[in-house]
Amino acid sequence: QVTLRESGPALVKPTQTLTLTCTFSGFSLRPSGMCVGWIRQPPGKALEWLARIDWDDDKFYNTSLKPRLTIAKDTSKNQVVLTMTNVDSVDTATYYCARADMGSYGSGSPFDIWGQGTMVTVSS
Amino acid sequence: QSVLTQPPSVSAAPGQKVTISCSGSSSNIGNNFVSWYQHFPGAAPKLLIYDNYKRPSGIPDRFSGSKSGTSATLGITGLLTGDEADYYCGTWDSRLNVVVFGGGTKLTVL
């Protein structure tokens, strides 16, 4: 069974760095085509893609957030970590990690399994 | 402002059919496969359609997808009150090298 679980602080102060961890099971990031992405949803707003890391360590970032984001993987621990620097109230959102199995699907990067999400509030 | 354009809301009666459109450009929908997601508040989004029209295991055939040029469409037949949710389209943008989502469509089953 494939599962992903997000973890991180529920409350972060403005200007601080947010670190989120995605711990997954049931698959590995070693095989060709396997990827993990981060997506967020601010309250009352749409899904917003943040970043994706691929099996070969290729990394892709949301264009407008790229200066503030870093994604990394620890294949031995089955974890993907997303850091976001200099957070602001507009970063208050539910953050999801999700798997994209590019080896099984076409070029659209579909996220087939999602975590339950973790709510992060940015406030002083 | 989302890269992919969806109507903010659609509605239909139980048992009826509804379609949700998703409009993009040649760099995203025009040259990549489209996915559709169903999202209930407080839950994880669920993949409904991938590769334009394929359904993952367990997704009923009441849900269908299609693509033409730079637009895609999600169809839902035999509407149930339990289908009330937000629906998002998504794909890869080859020019920007990013994943893009639509702004979401809220489905109301009257």
Side-chain angles (χ1 to χ4, degrees), chain A residues 39 41 45-47 49 52 60-61 63 96 105-112 114-116, chain B residues 31-33 35 37 39 42-45 47 50-51 88 91-92 97-99 101-103:
Chain A
I39 304 98
Q41 184 180 37
K45 297 190 176 182
L47 296 176
W49 175 77
R52 194 187 84 187
F60 303 91
Y61 295 99
T63 304
Y96 298 96
Y105 303 122
S107 60
S109 186
F111 293 104
D112 62 347
W114 295 61
Q116 285 298 308
Chain B
N31 281 284
N32 291 287
F33 292 104
S35 306
Y37 303 87
H39 190 202
L47 179 66
Y50 67 95
D51 291 1
Y88 293 89
T91 187
W92 182 255
N97 272 345
V98 298
V99 173
F101 286 113

Coordinates of all heavy atoms in Angstrom, one line a residue, chain A residues 39 41 45-47 49 52 60-61 63 96 105-112 114-116, chain B residues 31-33 35 37 39 42-45 47 50-51 88 91-92 97-99 101-103:
Chain A
I39 N 2.4 20.3 -3.1 CA 1.3 21.2 -3.5 C 0.7 21.8 -2.3 O 0.6 21.2 -1.2 CB 0.2 20.4 -4.3 CG1 0.8 19.6 -5.5 CG2 -0.9 21.2 -4.8 CD1 1.2 18.1 -5.2
Q41 N -2.6 24.5 -0.6 CA -3.9 25.1 -0.8 C -4.2 26.1 0.3 O -4.5 25.7 1.4 CB -5.1 24.1 -0.9 CG -6.4 24.7 -1.2 CD -7.5 23.8 -1.2 OE1 -7.6 22.8 -0.4 NE2 -8.5 24.0 -2.2
K45 N -8.8 28.9 -1.4 CA -8.2 29.2 -2.7 C -7.9 27.8 -3.4 O -8.1 26.8 -2.9 CB -6.9 30.0 -2.5 CG -7.2 31.4 -2.0 CD -6.0 32.3 -2.1 CE -6.3 33.7 -1.7 NZ -5.2 34.6 -1.8
A46 N -7.3 28.0 -4.6 CA -7.1 26.8 -5.4 C -5.8 26.1 -5.0 O -4.9 26.6 -4.3 CB -7.0 27.2 -6.9
L47 N -5.6 24.9 -5.5 CA -4.4 24.1 -5.4 C -3.3 24.9 -6.1 O -3.5 25.4 -7.2 CB -4.5 22.7 -6.0 CG -5.5 21.8 -5.4 CD1 -5.5 20.5 -6.2 CD2 -5.1 21.5 -3.9
W49 N 0.8 24.3 -7.2 CA 2.0 23.4 -7.2 C 3.2 24.1 -6.8 O 3.4 25.3 -7.2 CB 2.2 22.8 -8.6 CG 3.4 22.0 -8.8 CD1 3.6 20.7 -8.4 CD2 4.6 22.4 -9.4 NE1 4.9 20.3 -8.7 CE2 5.5 21.3 -9.3 CE3 5.1 23.6 -10.0 CZ2 6.8 21.4 -9.8 CZ3 6.4 23.7 -10.5 CH2 7.2 22.6 -10.4
R52 N 8.8 19.7 -7.4 CA 8.9 18.3 -7.6 C 10.3 17.8 -7.7 O 11.2 18.5 -8.3 CB 8.2 17.9 -9.0 CG 7.9 16.4 -9.1 CD 7.3 16.1 -10.5 NE 8.4 16.0 -11.5 CZ 8.2 15.8 -12.8 NH1 7.0 15.9 -13.3 NH2 9.3 15.7 -13.6
F60 N 12.3 20.6 -9.9 CA 11.6 21.6 -10.6 C 10.8 22.4 -9.6 O 10.3 21.9 -8.6 CB 10.6 21.0 -11.6 CG 11.3 20.0 -12.5 CD1 11.4 18.7 -12.3 CD2 11.7 20.5 -13.7 CE1 12.0 17.9 -13.2 CE2 12.4 19.7 -14.7 CZ 12.5 18.4 -14.4
Y61 N 10.7 23.8 -9.8 CA 10.1 24.7 -8.9 C 9.1 25.6 -9.5 O 9.2 26.0 -10.7 CB 11.2 25.5 -8.2 CG 12.2 24.8 -7.4 CD1 13.4 24.5 -7.9 CD2 11.9 24.4 -6.0 CE1 14.3 23.8 -7.1 CE2 12.8 23.8 -5.3 CZ 14.0 23.4 -5.8 OH 14.9 22.8 -5.0
T63 N 7.7 28.8 -10.6 CA 8.5 29.9 -11.1 C 8.6 31.1 -10.1 O 9.6 31.6 -9.8 CB 8.0 30.4 -12.4 OG1 7.9 29.3 -13.3 CG2 8.9 31.5 -13.0
Y96 N 0.4 19.7 0.9 CA 0.3 18.2 0.5 C 1.6 17.8 -0.2 O 2.2 18.5 -1.0 CB -0.8 18.0 -0.4 CG -2.2 18.3 0.0 CD1 -2.8 19.6 -0.3 CD2 -2.9 17.4 0.8 CE1 -4.0 19.9 0.2 CE2 -4.2 17.7 1.2 CZ -4.8 19.0 0.9 OH -6.0 19.3 1.3
Y105 N 2.8 6.8 -16.3 CA 1.9 7.7 -16.9 C 2.6 8.5 -18.0 O 3.8 8.5 -18.1 CB 1.3 8.6 -15.8 CG 0.6 7.9 -14.7 CD1 1.0 8.1 -13.4 CD2 -0.4 7.1 -14.9 CE1 0.4 7.5 -12.3 CE2 -1.1 6.4 -13.9 CZ -0.6 6.6 -12.6 OH -1.3 6.0 -11.6
G106 N 1.8 9.3 -18.7 CA 2.3 10.1 -19.7 C 3.0 11.4 -19.2 O 3.3 11.5 -18.0
S107 N 3.1 12.3 -20.1 CA 3.9 13.5 -19.8 C 3.2 14.6 -18.9 O 3.8 15.6 -18.6 CB 4.3 14.2 -21.1 OG 3.1 14.6 -21.8
G108 N 2.0 14.3 -18.4 CA 1.4 15.4 -17.7 C 1.7 15.4 -16.2 O 1.1 16.3 -15.5
S109 N 2.6 14.6 -15.7 CA 2.9 14.5 -14.3 C 1.7 14.4 -13.4 O 1.5 15.2 -12.5 CB 3.7 15.8 -13.9 OG 4.2 15.7 -12.6
P110 N 0.9 13.4 -13.6 CA -0.2 13.2 -12.7 C 0.2 12.7 -11.3 O 1.1 11.9 -11.2 CB -1.1 12.1 -13.4 CG -0.1 11.3 -14.2 CD 0.9 12.3 -14.6
F111 N -0.4 13.3 -10.3 CA -0.1 12.9 -8.9 C -1.2 11.8 -8.5 O -2.3 12.2 -8.3 CB -0.1 14.1 -8.0 CG 1.0 15.0 -8.2 CD1 0.7 16.2 -8.9 CD2 2.3 14.8 -7.8 CE1 1.8 17.1 -9.2 CE2 3.3 15.7 -8.1 CZ 3.1 16.8 -8.8
D112 N -0.7 10.6 -8.4 CA -1.7 9.5 -8.2 C -2.0 9.2 -6.7 O -3.1 8.7 -6.4 CB -1.3 8.3 -9.0 CG 0.0 7.7 -8.5 OD1 0.7 8.3 -7.7 OD2 0.3 6.5 -8.9
W114 N -1.8 10.9 -2.8 CA -1.6 12.2 -2.0 C -1.6 11.9 -0.5 O -2.2 11.0 0.0 CB -2.7 13.2 -2.3 CG -2.8 13.7 -3.7 CD1 -3.0 13.0 -4.8 CD2 -2.7 15.0 -4.1 NE1 -3.0 13.8 -5.9 CE2 -2.8 15.1 -5.5 CE3 -2.5 16.3 -3.4 CZ2 -2.8 16.3 -6.2 CZ3 -2.4 17.4 -4.1 CH2 -2.6 17.4 -5.5
G115 N -0.8 12.6 0.2 CA -0.9 12.6 1.7 C -2.1 13.4 2.1 O -2.8 14.0 1.3
Q116 N -2.4 13.3 3.4 CA -3.6 13.9 4.0 C -3.4 15.4 4.1 O -4.4 16.2 4.3 CB -4.0 13.3 5.3 CG -4.6 12.0 5.2 CD -5.9 12.0 4.5 OE1 -6.8 12.8 4.8 NE2 -6.1 11.2 3.4
Chain B
N31 N 0.4 20.1 -25.6 CA 1.5 19.1 -25.8 C 1.8 18.1 -24.7 O 2.8 17.5 -24.6 CB 2.8 19.8 -26.2 CG 2.8 20.3 -27.6 OD1 3.0 19.5 -28.6 ND2 2.5 21.6 -27.8
N32 N 0.9 18.1 -23.7 CA 1.0 17.2 -22.6 C -0.3 16.5 -22.2 O -1.4 17.1 -22.6 CB 1.6 17.9 -21.4 CG 3.1 18.3 -21.6 OD1 4.0 17.5 -21.6 ND2 3.3 19.6 -21.9
F33 N -0.2 15.5 -21.5 CA -1.5 14.8 -21.0 C -2.1 15.6 -19.8 O -1.4 16.2 -19.0 CB -1.2 13.4 -20.6 CG -0.8 12.5 -21.7 CD1 0.6 12.1 -21.9 CD2 -1.7 12.0 -22.6 CE1 0.9 11.3 -22.9 CE2 -1.4 11.1 -23.6 CZ -0.1 10.8 -23.8
S35 N -4.6 15.7 -16.4 CA -5.2 14.9 -15.3 C -6.3 15.7 -14.7 O -6.3 17.0 -14.8 CB -4.1 14.7 -14.2 OG -2.9 14.1 -14.8
Y37 N -8.6 16.0 -10.9 CA -8.6 15.6 -9.5 C -9.9 16.0 -8.9 O -10.5 17.1 -9.2 CB -7.5 16.3 -8.7 CG -6.1 16.0 -9.3 CD1 -5.6 16.8 -10.3 CD2 -5.3 15.0 -8.8 CE1 -4.3 16.5 -10.9 CE2 -4.1 14.7 -9.4 CZ -3.6 15.5 -10.4 OH -2.3 15.2 -10.9
H39 N -11.6 16.9 -5.1 CA -11.1 17.4 -3.8 C -12.3 17.8 -3.0 O -13.0 18.7 -3.2 CB -10.1 18.6 -4.0 CG -9.4 18.9 -2.7 ND1 -8.9 20.1 -2.5 CD2 -9.2 18.1 -1.6 CE1 -8.3 20.1 -1.3 NE2 -8.5 18.9 -0.8
G42 N -11.0 19.3 3.4 CA -10.5 18.6 4.5 C -9.9 17.2 4.2 O -9.4 16.5 5.0
A43 N -10.0 16.8 2.9 CA -9.5 15.5 2.5 C -8.3 15.7 1.5 O -8.1 16.8 1.0 CB -10.6 14.7 1.9
A44 N -7.7 14.6 1.2 CA -6.6 14.6 0.2 C -7.3 14.6 -1.2 O -8.2 13.9 -1.5 CB -5.7 13.4 0.3
P45 N -6.7 15.4 -2.2 CA -7.2 15.3 -3.5 C -7.1 13.9 -4.1 O -6.2 13.2 -3.7 CB -6.3 16.3 -4.3 CG -5.9 17.3 -3.2 CD -5.7 16.4 -2.0
L47 N -6.9 11.5 -7.6 CA -6.8 11.4 -9.1 C -7.9 10.7 -9.7 O -8.2 9.6 -9.4 CB -5.5 10.7 -9.4 CG -5.1 10.6 -10.9 CD1 -4.9 12.0 -11.6 CD2 -3.9 9.7 -11.1
Y50 N -6.2 10.5 -15.7 CA -4.9 10.8 -16.2 C -4.7 10.5 -17.6 O -5.6 9.8 -18.2 CB -3.9 10.0 -15.3 CG -3.9 8.5 -15.5 CD1 -3.0 7.9 -16.4 CD2 -4.8 7.7 -14.8 CE1 -3.1 6.5 -16.7 CE2 -4.9 6.3 -15.1 CZ -4.0 5.7 -16.0 OH -4.0 4.4 -16.2
D51 N -3.7 11.0 -18.2 CA -3.4 10.8 -19.7 C -4.7 11.1 -20.5 O -5.0 10.4 -21.4 CB -3.0 9.3 -19.9 CG -1.6 9.1 -19.4 OD1 -1.0 9.9 -18.8 OD2 -1.1 7.9 -19.6
Y88 N -10.2 19.8 -10.2 CA -9.1 20.6 -10.7 C -8.5 19.8 -11.9 O -8.4 18.6 -11.9 CB -8.0 20.7 -9.7 CG -8.3 21.6 -8.5 CD1 -8.9 21.1 -7.4 CD2 -8.0 23.0 -8.5 CE1 -9.3 21.9 -6.3 CE2 -8.3 23.8 -7.4 CZ -8.9 23.2 -6.3 OH -9.2 24.1 -5.3
T91 N -1.6 19.7 -15.5 CA -0.7 19.1 -16.5 C 0.7 19.7 -16.4 O 0.9 20.4 -15.4 CB -1.3 19.4 -18.0 OG1 -0.5 18.6 -18.9 CG2 -1.2 20.8 -18.3
W92 N 1.6 19.3 -17.3 CA 2.9 19.8 -17.3 C 3.0 20.9 -18.3 O 2.4 20.9 -19.4 CB 3.9 18.7 -17.6 CG 5.3 19.1 -17.7 CD1 6.1 19.3 -18.8 CD2 6.2 19.3 -16.5 NE1 7.4 19.6 -18.4 CE2 7.5 19.6 -17.0 CE3 6.0 19.2 -15.2 CZ2 8.5 19.8 -16.2 CZ3 7.1 19.4 -14.3 CH2 8.3 19.8 -14.8
N97 N 8.6 24.3 -17.7 CA 9.1 23.2 -16.9 C 8.5 23.2 -15.5 O 9.2 23.1 -14.4 CB 10.6 23.2 -16.8 CG 11.2 22.4 -18.0 OD1 10.5 21.7 -18.7 ND2 12.5 22.6 -18.2
V98 N 7.2 23.3 -15.4 CA 6.5 23.3 -14.1 C 5.2 22.6 -14.3 O 4.7 22.4 -15.4 CB 6.1 24.8 -13.6 CG1 7.4 25.6 -13.4 CG2 5.2 25.5 -14.6
V99 N 4.6 22.1 -13.1 CA 3.3 21.6 -13.1 C 2.3 22.8 -13.0 O 2.6 23.7 -12.2 CB 3.1 20.6 -11.9 CG1 1.6 20.2 -11.8 CG2 4.0 19.4 -12.0
F101 N -1.9 23.9 -12.5 CA -3.3 23.5 -12.2 C -4.2 24.5 -12.6 O -3.9 25.7 -12.8 CB -3.4 23.3 -10.6 CG -2.8 22.1 -10.1 CD1 -1.7 22.2 -9.2 CD2 -3.3 20.8 -10.3 CE1 -1.1 21.1 -8.6 CE2 -2.7 19.7 -9.8 CZ -1.6 19.8 -8.9
G102 N -5.5 24.1 -12.8 CA -6.5 25.1 -13.0 C -7.0 25.7 -11.7 O -6.5 25.3 -10.6
G103 N -7.8 26.7 -11.8 CA -8.3 27.4 -10.6 C -9.3 26.6 -9.8 O -9.7 27.1 -8.7

